[in-house]
Amino acid sequence: MTMETMDIESRLMGDTSSPVIPFARSYQVEALERAIKQNTIVYLETGSGKTLVAIMLLQWNSHLLRKPSSYIAVFLVPTVVLVKQQAEAIRRLLDLKVGEYYGEMQVDWWDATTWSNELENHEVLVMTPMILLNALRHSYIKINHVKVLIFDECHNARGKHPYACIMKEFYHRQLSGSHLPIILGMTASPIKAKGESSSSYWNQISELENLLNSKVYTCKSESVLASYIPFANVKLKFYDEVNVSHMLSKRLEDDLGKLLVKHKSSERILQLDKAEQDSIFRKFSRLHFAFLFCLEELGLWMVSKAAEFFSEKTSGFLWGDLDNDFRTFISDFALDVVKVSSKYIPSGFEGSLSANMTANAEAGLVKQKVVCLVESLLEYRNYKDLRCIIFVERIVTSVVIQALLSAVLPKLCGWKSSYIAGGGGKPMQPQGRKEQSKVVEEFRKGKVNIIVATSILEEGLDVQSCNLVIRFDPSATVCSFIQSKGRARMQNSDFLIMVKNGDPAELSRVNKYVSCGEVMRRESLSHATVPCAPPKFDKYDHIFYRIESTGAKVTLSSSVSLVYFYCSRLPSDGYFKPYPVCTMDEESGFCTIQFPDGCPIESLRVSGSGKILKQFAFLEACKRLHQAGALTDHLVPDIFAEEAFVHEIEKLPYSDDHACYVAPELVSVSSTKSLVEYYCYLIKMENNFDYDVSPRDIVLLVKNELHSDVGNMDFDVEVGWGNMGVHMRYNGRVTLTQEQVLLCIRFQVAIFRVLLEKEIQRLMQLLGDPLTHETSSYLDYLVLPCPASPKISSDIDWSCVNLVMSTSDNFMGHHMSCRATDVHRVHTKNGLVCSCMLENCVVYTPHNNLVYCISGFLHGLNGCSDLELRTGEVISYKSYYKRQHGIDLQFMKEGLLHGRRIFGVQNYLQKSRQQRNTEPSHASVELPPELCSIIITPLSISTLYTYSFVPSIMHRIESLLLSSNLKNMISDQCEQIVDIPAIKVLEAITTRKCQENFHLESMETLGDSFLKYAVSQQLFRTYENHHEGLLSVKRERIISNAALAKLGLKHDLPGFIRAKPFDLKEWAIPGDPSGSRGLKEEVLISGRKIYNRGSRKIKSKTVADVVEALIGVYLNAGGEQAALLFMNWLGIDIDFSAVPYTRKIPAGTTNHVNIHHLQTLLNYTFKDNSLLLEALTHGSFTLAGVSRSYQRLEFLGDAVLDYLVTVHLYTEYPGLSPGELTDLRSASVSNDSYAQAALRAGLYKHIFHASQALHKHLNAALNEFEQLSADGTHGWDTEISFPKVLADIIESLAGAIFLDSGYDKEAVFRSLRPLLEPLVTPDSMKLHPVKELQELCAKHDYHLRKPVVSFDDGFASMTLEVEADGVVYSHTCSASDRMTAKRIASKVILKSLKESIPGIPVVRP
């Protein structure tokens, strides 16, 4: 070991943060020494610890990587499985921040901001190479910001592999510059291809070194490693292949050919369009080839096993993304093969398969090679803990070999087998990572003894417990040989290579593979001093298109995929996928690219020659797309930038804590002025029901004048047995002295304390507390009784205010004289008092802890009087109190008092309170005076009754004042806006949770539709060349809940929102210091003053709903102009100025449309017939001169129709509740309603499309629709999955008419309303199946499980399950969108529940 090596080791050993260093082996430290000095390729056998070298190199450079450093390290691995494996190894040994990246994370869709966040939060990025290559090409990651770049399995760096592209496109192009990363490659074999001679070995090693600009490090001999890791014993296993012609095999081969012809000519397949036919034919051919392979290479019985496997339609591993029809076609073919092949297999063969393998081979049922494999395995039957990997070339081989071993081995030695397959090609798909990891884990634990695997297990999965490896199929390359051999990691492991006898070429190749390790080591060491040379570049590698502002670039080799990637983000549906069509004319030397609808370039033609003309054309296309703005400066589709804005808005931090505003009109700061002026408002209340107590008039005194629509208003409150009308009018001004003000405050505080305080002891304490002036901002208003007699000119009943006394007062001291001619005193808990003190008072009875209103004495009744009990028994009052309460009445002759329970103060604004015909039977009672303690006197029942409603009335007034302040705040900054009633603004800021007679939902529905309409129209006219997908994202950026909530926050709206019911516990008695809360003064954006009473929770969705509701309010009260002015105030700038729509469709193309018929049907004459053609053209259709489908018109028409229908429903049914309006609108503008209208009108006949699948779906929907009853076709009341195209056509026609008529909405509704008839009405609408199922499950306590959703080729599949009374009801539905699938699945389950469980009623809306 050199001195420098000792220094390095010493430095590493000194870092106690790394527990791995003490275990580093000598050759690992040597490799690290080399890697620190120069770029290095670590060439060591599998299991020798190359990853540890990489980790030590990361640790060595960790001081350069730790944040806030801008540098990162990138660890590249060839497979997804290795991402997690290597990332976990780094985390386990280092304290660096490690990120994982692979395709399933949707990394391809990430934008610059997302990548920037990843780079800021991670120091080591472990990823598959294509992710880094794309990030470099888009300039999300820059090569000079990568400090360490590690290539795991670096032998893959060749040709167009991402490893090679990374080095050629980025590293070597900046080789003369600075800040290039340290390169570390790791491999068990620096050679990927076959090595024929020593010179070819060195040539391949040299190419790898030059490409990675690194020199190979390896041990001088295998013996250095042998002291640390075990090496497998290489053994050759020879088998004899008897090439005997079997008639059975020949006949089965003929039968397979006939089956192929039969299924290709199936009537169902011939009905498919040509592209689908070609696709299924290719799959049939590949399947047929797989069966022939099994027949020729593995045996006749193996054909049957393969066919059984292919027939399993439920295997996601096998079928991947194939749709149900294709799965059925292939499964049917495979099932036929099972039936045919089973005729050639003896009965009971599988049960006796292990009895005589040689005879089976002679019969052609299994091949001799398979027999040799089984025999070889049985030689290890005495192993206590066998762990064996059998490597095969094809997926189908792994499947059928595993099936054979499962049939033979358990009986002979109890071994269990499984398979791992990947990268096997079509029609089969590789296994998922989870399934592969599960098999490996079971292998490690000994639950599986044998794995039959394809090359996927050669590199990637960490399998350390293997003691036997068998190469059933020969290794294709040197690397494959070395890696599969390296899987046998346990001591005394064997590596069996199956070789056919009499094949000298195969034997020679195996011998070369056996010695290749030593040859590669020798060649690497002998050329260790040869410097790296520049790698070989292709002739056209220097041609690329680069964006100067970002550094993003596209090369000839990446141009094709970039254009396809751009097209994949264009609008599509389940019936077509947009892609460029490339036509090569070799004779003329032209390459023409036709771009799909939505692309700003219609076509591109490039001349040239040679094989890369297509790439030249696509590179030019990339350049043109970027210049047109369709590709951003990061060379990603333009929709990425818009989606990034939407995501940024959604990710903005939002706090639920918001102010709760109080209107300044009701707030004051204490003053020392001797005279106080008040604005007086008379409040009259009247019972709209029969009741023996009538409310009295009261006045509200405030120091600030109220807005006219608040100071003069009428509303109702809901009492338990009817409604009470409240009428408020301005009544002039009054001036009070400070003494009068304090007297009034004392009066109202006393009354409210009696009404609101439930705890008697606290009530008595509060009544005795002195009143003091507030020292800060507080609620300052007076609610006082009016004189009962109209002869009294004063606004205030001073006789009532002045006379009220509480227990804290000296009753007798205030009661200097009595008007009664015969003064009569009675005994009370307060002592001996004048009887007039008990006329109209409030008392407390300790024996039952209750408070009563006393109206006076009951003449003729005393303690000796009879009392009839509910049982009919008659006893005296004295006996009753003795029996019931254990009280002996002392003053039997004193008259009883007529009392009634104190009026309960409730939230009388709450909707749907349970109504009673009369008050409770226990309301009126007879009380002996001696049991009563006077609380307040005099105070009439009528006054108490009146004041029991005041908290609710004042809450409504406070809310209206708040809405008036909001309205004024908007008007301050938007002078042109109309003045709208405060009650309408109040509706917009009141949520459903308030449980009042109104809430924002109706206005929200109206505002939502107008907002969508206005923004859609603006975007459509502003961005004439943008496709529907881009327009939709732009719209989402403006009208999303997150965006609206952001605008609401900016304009102080959350503080005005009412988001919970009126809570009496939180209501502050004006002037009461015991319950007073400090109010903080704040200034709104308009400069107006407002007060904040504290914080409360408001969700962002609620803020967004209020914004939409306010738009609806201004629209409803002031028209579209008022709504637009409000939106402009918010920051949503909309201009409805007419802008002409430019058409690009040449004359003559509309000859394909039946113009006359359609104009008659629509009752509209088009000025521009090409709009009608565009409105009927599906994206799958291509016609010369027609470059645009209906998608843009659909985008516009959807918003226009939605708005028109919403306004119609709101106007037509003014009595609907907000919830009913929302449901009715949802049903009316649903895809199903529009689709049914299109079918009724026959519009499906006029759709231009070129999709066989759409044609089939249209016919199926039409057939089902014709069978529906006339009254069963409203809204969502069907089980049909309608093609969304039908609804799209209705919407696109709306857009076409809207444009052609010069943006005339009424023209659209006049034209399309007859098609939509019969419109859904409140009577015809049924409850939405999803909502009905949810309500049913909630009512009967059924378990509605979480839906399982999947998406396949533009269609959504949803599985719903309900567990009811121990039975699971399940249904899976596929439809064009998720909501349709959920609706149909819900409807089917509802039907099953109602049929199966008696007593379940039909739920009505």
Side-chain angles (χ1 to χ4, degrees), residues 1204-1221:
L1204 287 170
V1205 172
T1206 303
V1207 171
H1208 165 74
L1209 295 174
Y1210 183 81
T1211 307
E1212 189 76 10
Y1213 306 106
L1216 287 182
S1217 70
E1220 289 171 335
L1221 177 64

Side-chain angles (χ1 to χ4, degrees), residues 1006-1014 1111 1115 1120 1123-1124 1127 1203:
L1006 192 62
D1008 170 68
S1009 66
F1010 180 75
L1011 176 64
K1012 179 181 174 183
Y1013 158 74
I1111 295 173
L1115 176 70
E1120 291 185 357
L1124 290 175
M1127 288 164 58
Y1203 174 50

Side-chain angles (χ1 to χ4, degrees), residues 119-135:
L119 298 181
E120 288 177 5
N121 295 320
H122 297 97
E123 294 153 344
V124 181
L125 283 65
V126 185
M127 61 181 68
T128 50
M130 199 66 212
I131 292 175
L132 177 62
L133 179 58
N134 285 334

Side-chain angles (χ1 to χ4, degrees), residues 80-255:
V80 175
V81 176
L82 275 173
V83 172
K84 291 188 173 293
Q85 184 174 300
Q86 299 292 45
E88 184 55 37
I90 298 170
R91 290 192 191 99
R92 189 168 57 249
L93 301 176
L94 300 180
D95 64 347
L96 295 173
K97 299 172 183 176
V98 183
E100 302 174 15
Y101 310 89
Y102 45 88
E104 292 177 16
M105 297 171 64
Q106 303 296 312
V107 179
D108 289 342
W109 313 107
W110 288 5
D111 59 10
T113 302
T114 305
W115 271 113
S116 178
N117 291 335
E118 293 298 318
L119 298 181
E120 288 177 5
N121 295 320
H122 297 97
E123 294 153 344
V124 181
L125 283 65
V126 185
M127 61 181 68
T128 50
M130 199 66 212
I131 292 175
L132 177 62
L133 179 58
N134 285 334
L136 290 168
R137 284 172 172 171
H138 296 309
S139 199
Y140 295 146
I141 297 177
K142 298 185 183 298
I143 193 69
N144 55 10
H145 286 171
V146 181
K147 178 55 64 177
V148 181
L149 182 55
I150 300 170
F151 294 87
D152 196 7
E153 312 291 0
C154 66
H155 49 265
N156 290 300
R158 55 193 299 116
K160 296 298 181 183
H161 190 276
Y163 279 177
C165 292
I166 289 168
M167 293 301 295
K168 284 187 175 183
E169 292 181 25
F170 297 95
Y171 183 91
H172 284 285
R173 294 197 182 278
Q174 298 186 35
L175 194 56
S176 58
S178 58
H179 303 298
L180 283 174
I182 299 167
I183 303 295
L184 178 70
M186 301 187 298
T187 182
S189 168
I191 293 177
K192 175 83 170 178
K194 299 176 181 178
E196 302 299 333
S197 63
S198 296
S199 59
S200 70
Y201 276 51
W202 166 241
N203 289 337
Q204 293 181 57
I205 294 172
S206 175
E207 286 180 10
L208 181 63
E209 287 186 339
N210 294 338
L211 182 60
L212 296 184
N213 193 35
S214 308
K215 293 298 294 181
V216 170
Y217 164 81
T218 188
C219 294
K220 294 181 180 179
S221 68
E222 194 176 273
S223 60
V224 176
L225 298 174
S227 60
Y228 294 101
I229 59 173
F231 284 86
N233 303 309
V234 179
K235 298 180 180 180
L236 303 186
K237 195 70 176 180
F238 294 95
Y239 65 91
D240 295 311
E241 189 58 77
V242 181
N243 293 319
V244 180
S245 176
H246 293 285
M247 288 301 297
L248 290 179
S249 298
K250 178 61 177 171
R251 286 167 57 190
L252 179 55
E253 183 179 341
D254 292 341
D255 287 344

Side-chain angles (χ1 to χ4, degrees), residues 628-884:
L631 291 176
T632 70
D633 285 350
H634 281 284
L635 291 177
V636 294
D638 47 6
I639 199 170
F640 269 46
E642 292 299 327
E643 290 173 336
F645 282 123
V646 174
H647 294 155
E648 282 181 25
I649 293 172
E650 291 175 347
K651 291 178 181 178
L652 285 174
Y654 176 85
S655 172
D656 286 348
D657 293 317
H658 294 287
C660 183
Y661 290 157
V662 176
E665 290 86 346
L666 301 180
V667 179
S668 294
V669 177
S670 58
S671 171
T672 58
K673 292 182 180 180
S674 59
L675 296 178
V676 183
E677 186 177 58
Y678 286 93
Y679 290 87
C680 180
Y681 293 88
L682 176 63
I683 299 176
K684 289 180 172 290
M685 290 179 275
E686 56 180 342
N687 294 335
N688 295 323
F689 48 86
D690 293 330
Y691 195 55
D692 61 344
V693 182
S694 296
R696 62 184 300 179
D697 296 344
I698 56 176
V699 290
L700 169 65
L701 303 185
V702 293
K703 293 180 180 178
N704 302 285
E705 185 177 8
L706 308 183
H707 194 276
S708 60
D709 60 352
V710 179
N712 298 279
M713 64 172 177
D714 305 287
F715 61 92
D716 289 344
V717 294
E718 295 194 17
V719 188
W721 41 88
N723 290 340
M724 172 178 284
V726 180
H727 312 283
M728 180 174 172
R729 296 293 182 270
Y730 177 60
N731 205 40
R733 302 184 187 184
V734 297
T735 301
L736 304 180
T737 66
Q738 282 290 352
E739 291 74 16
Q740 287 175 317
V741 171
L742 286 174
L743 187 64
C744 293
I745 292 174
R746 176 188 168 183
F747 169 82
Q748 69 182 17
V749 168
I751 292 181
F752 286 130
R753 284 177 175 177
V754 167
L755 288 170
L756 295 171
E757 184 55 54
K758 304 301 182 185
E759 293 293 332
I760 298 300
Q761 295 304 319
R762 174 165 168 74
L763 171 61
M764 303 303 288
Q765 177 186 344
L766 289 173
L767 288 174
D769 289 344
L771 293 177
T772 57
H773 281 289
E774 296 281 352
T775 59
S776 60
S777 301
Y778 65 102
L779 285 174
D780 182 15
Y781 59 86
L782 300 174
V783 182
L784 304 171
C786 290
S789 172
K791 296 180 180 180
I792 302 176
S793 60
S794 175
D795 294 316
I796 303 169
D797 184 357
W798 288 108
S799 62
C800 179
V801 174
N802 287 325
L803 287 174
V804 167
M805 295 172 287
S806 68
T807 55
S808 62
D809 302 304
N810 183 338
F811 288 145
M812 297 309 297
H814 283 83
H815 191 66
M816 300 299 296
S817 63
C818 182
R819 294 180 182 179
T821 57
D822 182 18
V823 176
H824 175 63
R825 287 182 172 82
V826 293
H827 294 83
T828 68
K829 290 289 184 181
N830 306 88
L832 196 64
V833 300
C834 180
S835 61
C836 68
M837 301 287 292
L838 289 167
E839 299 283 347
N840 293 319
C841 69
V842 179
V843 303
Y844 162 60
T845 53
H847 69 275
N848 58 4
N849 205 37
L850 292 177
V851 178
Y852 295 94
C853 307
I854 304 298
S855 59
F857 286 88
L858 291 166
H859 298 292
L861 288 181
N862 57 35
C864 297
S865 301
D866 290 340
L867 170 65
E868 183 177 354
L869 303 179
R870 293 181 182 179
T871 60
E873 181 184 0
V874 177
I875 61 175
S876 67
Y877 282 95
K878 177 180 180 180
S879 301
Y880 168 79
Y881 280 101
K882 178 64 175 178
R883 180 194 299 180
Q884 193 72 20

Side-chain angles (χ1 to χ4, degrees), residues 894-949:
E894 292 186 354
L896 299 181
L897 300 173
H898 178 253
R900 62 194 304 159
R901 290 277 294 276
I902 196 79
F903 297 98
V905 182
Q906 303 175 37
N907 175 6
Y908 292 110
L909 302 173
Q910 196 165 336
K911 180 184 177 182
S912 301
R913 293 171 48 81
Q914 185 176 359
Q915 300 219 337
R916 303 187 302 271
N917 293 326
T918 60
E919 63 179 320
S921 60
H922 62 273
S924 180
V925 296
E926 301 83 39
L927 294 170
E930 64 186 278
L931 299 183
C932 299
S933 176
I934 301 173
I935 297 177
I936 294 180
T937 184
L939 191 62
S940 68
I941 290 178
S942 176
T943 303
L944 279 170
Y945 176 65
T946 300
Y947 273 77
S948 68
F949 298 102

